[in-house]
Amino acid sequence: LRIMVAKQISTRAGVIALALSLAACGTGDSNADTDAMDEALLDVTSTGLVSALEPGQAPVMIRFEGQATICMFVVPYQKDFQLADWESRNFVDELAAKKFKQLGIQPSPLCDDATFVRRAFLDATGTQPTIEQSQAFVKSDNPKKREALIDELLGLTGDPERDIHNDSYAAWWTLKWSDLIRNTSNGGGQELAMWSMHNWMKEAFRTNRPFNQFVSELVTAKGSVYSSGPANYFRIFRNSSELTEGTAQLFLGVRLECAKCHHHPFEKYGLGDYYGFSAFFSRVGTKRSEEFGLFGGESVVIVRSSGDVSHPKTGKRLQPTPLEGEPTDHPLDRRIALAGWLTSKENTLFARNIANRYVGYLLGRGLVDPIDDMRSTNPPTNPELLDALSSHFVDSGFDLKQLIRAIMVSRLYQLASQPTEQNKKDDRFYSHFTVKLIKAEALLDAIDQATESQTKYKNLPLGTRAIELPDAEYPNVFLNTFGKPRRSSVCECERSVDQTLASTLHIVNGETISSKLADQNGRVARLTAAKTPVKEFIEELFLATWCRKPTAEELQVAQEFVSKQADQQAGLADLLWVLISSKNFLYVN
């Protein structure tokens, strides 16, 4: 096969010619085909003529003889464009600005301080700032206060009195990775094993264990699932197929399911790649132990001395082989060789996958989207930025906090979410902040905080926050309605990122919020008992929900709304309900 891509030629009509010279070996027959990966932007004929339908950037995929590659097309939104009022704060901004210039996109201005403090708290720690915290930040005249806040939220100041958010940070990211790794009791008597895994992960995030070490400990773990937290990885993924597919998708962003039976239609991986990777797990097994008889006997992860994988079609025994690598083994445990390759500084698949995931978590969309589908035919929107972030991650010693910090201190992260006339069509280059529905657990905690009415969870003490819940098995209507995942899949898609009809109805008339508003020990009852003036009452409700005081117009409307109610307390409770039901509260803006 020879695929020759001619120069991309743009005419006034926006038509681009892509010349493909396709020569098949032997017969001279051509069975190549081309596909536009975004049909709203590009149209491709069977002969390879690409027409731009709209300004933007999109790839065309070319397939031939089981192989696939892409060609990227860029049609600027504006000609002779000059980026105005942009001041780069780090390499993230420099590479984002380069892309803005290439596409002719003018980004939105910076968000205000009240928006930023709420955004930063929720993204870094999954918690809403208190009234005191948000007000102190807004009133501060420190020109570096945003960077200082980020360091405090990530526990990077080195001062224990300032690094008070580290436990929230650990709880929040433990929740995220517990969802992905699928740590749950399944309601089947595995509570002790689930807690073992949960506590190990939380300690790793609390102490900021290098992520390559975190992953190495997972994939090489053995011993009791009760006493060794990471050994539960092999309780959750119970056979070599689950381990192969789960490990590849979690830590490489590669979806190998299709390659189990045939060559991946949009990827380079085939059966040999799948089963060669699977061979790393072929000698891992479990046995039962009665040492913890009180708990019904625990499972112990062991490594056997034999066990191989054969190619399903040829029957040939396969050596353990990394994706796109050469066979490698270890005399004691094949997984040691896997961990060495998987988390190596030279393995760009690992670093790029993690960097892309955190871009998605913080900026609302990955450079590669979906964020756990890093195939070659799904290219990043800004390859240079993804390469730079992954290099930064490696150079920092696989430090997740430094990766998060690099993104959060950037001007790109701190842009306003309101699009302008110039960038309203952009939904993938971060010219304005992408609003994100708050995750179910963080949202319930924020409602608890706003109403001053705590939720009690089964078998856990009052005061336990939703982001601290270790299991997926909690009979909480609110969490289940708002998409708390059951941890049945490693796919990021298991957790809904959009509001549903059920969640909307629950906000409007569900029992969760109504009972908290009526709580006699809650905020509304406390302020009413203190005979707080209505104006101050309203201001506190805005601060407790939107992290800012109301504008003059909002204050007037709120006062009129409350004054029309026969019962002032009921009117103020309704106002708080309105604020909680708004997009200003339900979303990270």
Side-chain angles (χ1 to χ4, degrees), residues 255-386:
R255 300 181 180 183
L256 279 179
E257 296 96 325
C258 289
K260 183 178 182 180
C261 302
H262 54 267
H263 196 288
H264 195 298
F266 298 150
E267 190 49 275
K268 57 187 118 179
Y269 304 121
L271 275 73
D273 300 294
Y274 182 98
Y275 289 97
F277 195 76
S278 176
F280 284 113
F281 302 108
S282 63
R283 297 179 179 179
V284 182
T286 59
K287 67 176 184 178
R288 302 295 294 176
S289 170
E290 298 303 323
E291 182 176 350
F292 290 88
L294 178 63
F295 301 101
E298 93 268 38
S299 179
V300 178
V301 178
I302 60 173
V303 178
R304 303 186 184 96
S305 59
S306 62
D308 292 299
V309 171
S310 298
H311 194 289
K313 290 188 175 181
T314 67
K316 179 182 178 181
R317 189 178 69 178
L318 297 175
Q319 295 296 313
T321 307
L323 297 180
E324 303 179 38
E326 297 298 323
T328 182
D329 206 341
H330 192 281
L332 298 178
D333 187 347
R334 290 178 166 182
R335 299 174 305 159
I336 296 175
L338 171 64
W341 167 80
L342 185 65
T343 62
S344 166
K345 291 183 177 181
E346 285 70 43
N347 182 13
T348 57
L349 292 172
F350 176 70
R352 284 165 61 86
N353 169 55
I354 302 304
N356 185 63
R357 283 182 184 270
Y358 277 80
V359 169
Y361 301 152
L362 297 170
L363 293 178
R365 185 186 192 278
L367 289 159
V368 174
D369 184 68
I371 63 175
D372 52 1
D373 187 11
M374 301 284 288
R375 54 190 159 83
S376 60
T377 51
N378 186 30
T381 54
N382 191 333
E384 289 184 82
L385 179 54
L386 182 56

Side-chain angles (χ1 to χ4, degrees), residues 221-267:
K222 55 186 177 180
S224 167
V225 296
Y226 291 167
S227 57
S228 172
N232 283 276
Y233 191 69
F234 299 91
R235 170 184 64 88
I236 297 165
F237 301 97
R238 295 167 292 181
N239 54 57
S240 59
S241 292
E242 290 186 5
L243 286 162
T244 298
E245 295 166 17
T247 302
Q249 188 163 347
L250 282 171
F251 305 123
L252 300 173
V254 175
R255 300 181 180 183
L256 279 179
E257 296 96 325
C258 289
K260 183 178 182 180
C261 302
H262 54 267
H263 196 288
H264 195 298
F266 298 150
E267 190 49 275

Side-chain angles (χ1 to χ4, degrees), residues 38 48 56 58 199 312 366 400 430 450 520:
D38 189 335
N199 291 337
L400 286 177
Y430 315 108
Q520 293 306 304

Side-chain angles (χ1 to χ4, degrees), residues 282-564:
S282 63
R283 297 179 179 179
V284 182
T286 59
K287 67 176 184 178
R288 302 295 294 176
S289 170
E290 298 303 323
E291 182 176 350
F292 290 88
L294 178 63
F295 301 101
E298 93 268 38
S299 179
V300 178
V301 178
I302 60 173
V303 178
R304 303 186 184 96
S305 59
S306 62
D308 292 299
V309 171
S310 298
H311 194 289
K313 290 188 175 181
T314 67
K316 179 182 178 181
R317 189 178 69 178
L318 297 175
Q319 295 296 313
T321 307
L323 297 180
E324 303 179 38
E326 297 298 323
T328 182
D329 206 341
H330 192 281
L332 298 178
D333 187 347
R334 290 178 166 182
R335 299 174 305 159
I336 296 175
L338 171 64
W341 167 80
L342 185 65
T343 62
S344 166
K345 291 183 177 181
E346 285 70 43
N347 182 13
T348 57
L349 292 172
F350 176 70
R352 284 165 61 86
N353 169 55
I354 302 304
N356 185 63
R357 283 182 184 270
Y358 277 80
V359 169
Y361 301 152
L362 297 170
L363 293 178
R365 185 186 192 278
L367 289 159
V368 174
D369 184 68
I371 63 175
D372 52 1
D373 187 11
M374 301 284 288
R375 54 190 159 83
S376 60
T377 51
N378 186 30
T381 54
N382 191 333
E384 289 184 82
L385 179 54
L386 182 56
D387 288 343
L389 281 167
S390 60
S391 295
H392 174 77
F393 181 48
V394 172
D395 294 342
S396 71
F398 298 94
D399 189 325
L400 286 177
K401 287 188 175 182
Q402 290 300 328
L403 175 61
I404 295 171
R405 187 183 191 279
I407 298 170
M408 291 184 68
V409 300
S410 70
R411 183 182 183 90
L412 197 68
Y413 175 79
Q414 298 178 29
L415 294 177
S417 60
Q418 183 64 38
T420 65
E421 188 64 30
Q422 292 76 27
N423 65 39
K424 64 182 181 181
K425 292 185 177 181
D426 169 35
D427 61 358
R428 62 190 68 181
F429 301 106
Y430 315 108
S431 59
H432 50 273
F433 186 79
T434 302
V435 296
K436 302 167 294 190
L437 182 67
I438 299 178
K439 303 298 185 289
E441 297 87 345
L443 181 58
L444 185 51
D445 285 344
I447 292 172
D448 285 0
Q449 185 171 310
T451 59
E452 292 184 350
S453 177
Q454 292 184 318
T455 301
K456 174 69 171 66
Y457 302 100
K458 183 180 179 180
N459 298 329
L460 292 171
L462 183 65
T464 301
R465 296 176 294 170
I467 65 169
E468 297 172 321
L469 297 177
D471 204 349
E473 303 294 329
Y474 285 99
N476 183 282
V477 174
F478 183 94
L479 294 178
N480 294 331
T481 302
F482 275 81
K484 180 177 176 61
R486 299 304 303 270
R487 297 180 179 173
S488 59
S489 169
V490 298
C491 183
E492 293 275 2
C493 59
E494 190 182 11
R495 183 185 285 272
S496 174
V497 296
D498 298 309
Q499 272 190 275
T500 63
L501 178 61
S503 63
T504 301
L505 291 174
H506 194 80
I507 282 288
V508 172
N509 58 16
E511 183 182 352
T512 300
I513 298 178
S514 61
S515 63
K516 292 180 181 298
L517 294 172
D519 188 340
Q520 293 306 304
N521 295 313
R523 187 183 298 274
V524 173
R526 174 178 62 80
L527 292 174
T528 302
K531 298 182 179 180
T532 303
V534 173
K535 179 176 178 294
E536 294 180 17
F537 203 141
I538 292 172
E539 287 182 347
E540 180 166 329
L541 295 186
F542 269 81
L543 286 167
T545 52
W546 295 4
C547 297
R548 65 168 175 81
K549 290 184 177 181
T551 63
E553 182 181 2
E554 289 167 343
L555 179 60
Q556 180 182 349
V557 171
Q559 287 177 320
E560 291 175 357
F561 174 79
V562 173
S563 66
K564 291 178 181 179

Side-chain angles (χ1 to χ4, degrees), residues 9-222:
I9 305 171
S10 177
T11 67
R12 289 187 180 181
V15 179
I16 302 171
L18 172 63
L20 300 177
S21 175
L22 301 169
C25 297
T27 65
D29 295 332
S30 174
N31 60 352
D33 66 276
T34 55
D35 296 286
M37 304 302 285
D38 189 335
E39 294 182 349
L41 294 181
L42 300 176
D43 177 69
V44 188
T45 68
S46 59
T47 59
L49 181 66
V50 181
S51 300
L53 305 177
E54 293 285 344
Q57 173 182 294
V60 168
M61 179 174 63
I62 306 127
R63 288 182 290 175
F64 183 80
E65 292 291 336
Q67 299 299 313
T69 189
I70 62 101
C71 179
M72 186 68 74
F73 290 85
V74 178
V75 180
Y77 289 87
Q78 301 179 53
K79 295 181 179 179
D80 303 319
F81 172 77
Q82 296 295 322
L83 187 62
D85 301 321
W86 181 269
E87 183 179 345
S88 294
R89 299 182 176 182
N90 62 4
F91 69 91
V92 173
D93 291 335
E94 292 169 0
L95 295 172
K98 185 176 179 180
K99 179 59 69 174
F100 291 149
K101 293 174 183 176
Q102 181 187 34
L103 284 159
I105 299 176
Q106 181 63 44
S108 296
L110 289 173
C111 67
D112 59 46
D113 284 344
T115 299
F116 177 78
V117 66
R118 186 172 186 266
R119 180 188 299 177
F121 263 83
L122 286 168
D123 278 346
T125 67
T127 59
Q128 172 116 329
T130 64
I131 293 176
E132 294 73 22
Q133 288 167 336
S134 58
Q135 284 294 91
F137 179 81
V138 170
K139 292 177 181 178
S140 172
D141 57 3
N142 178 4
K144 297 288 187 180
K145 64 182 181 181
R146 294 194 179 191
E147 289 187 21
L149 175 64
I150 292 166
D151 287 340
E152 289 179 9
L153 292 173
L154 298 177
L156 294 174
T157 69
D159 182 353
E161 293 186 1
R162 294 175 61 196
D163 290 341
I164 59 174
H165 305 286
N166 204 36
D167 285 343
S168 292
Y169 167 89
W172 180 235
W173 294 105
T174 298
L175 174 67
K176 162 56 71 177
W177 283 97
S178 292
D179 287 346
L180 293 177
I181 294 173
R182 299 168 45 205
N183 183 36
T184 179
S185 67
N186 290 318
Q190 292 295 318
E191 287 82 2
L192 188 58
M194 176 273 298
W195 272 105
S196 176
M197 178 68 139
H198 175 84
N199 291 337
W200 174 79
M201 279 199 283
K202 190 170 183 179
E203 178 64 12
F205 287 112
R206 189 188 67 80
T207 58
N208 198 28
R209 188 172 302 160
F211 199 67
N212 62 333
Q213 182 182 337
F214 176 94
V215 174
S216 292
E217 290 181 27
L218 273 179
V219 300
T220 61
K222 55 186 177 180

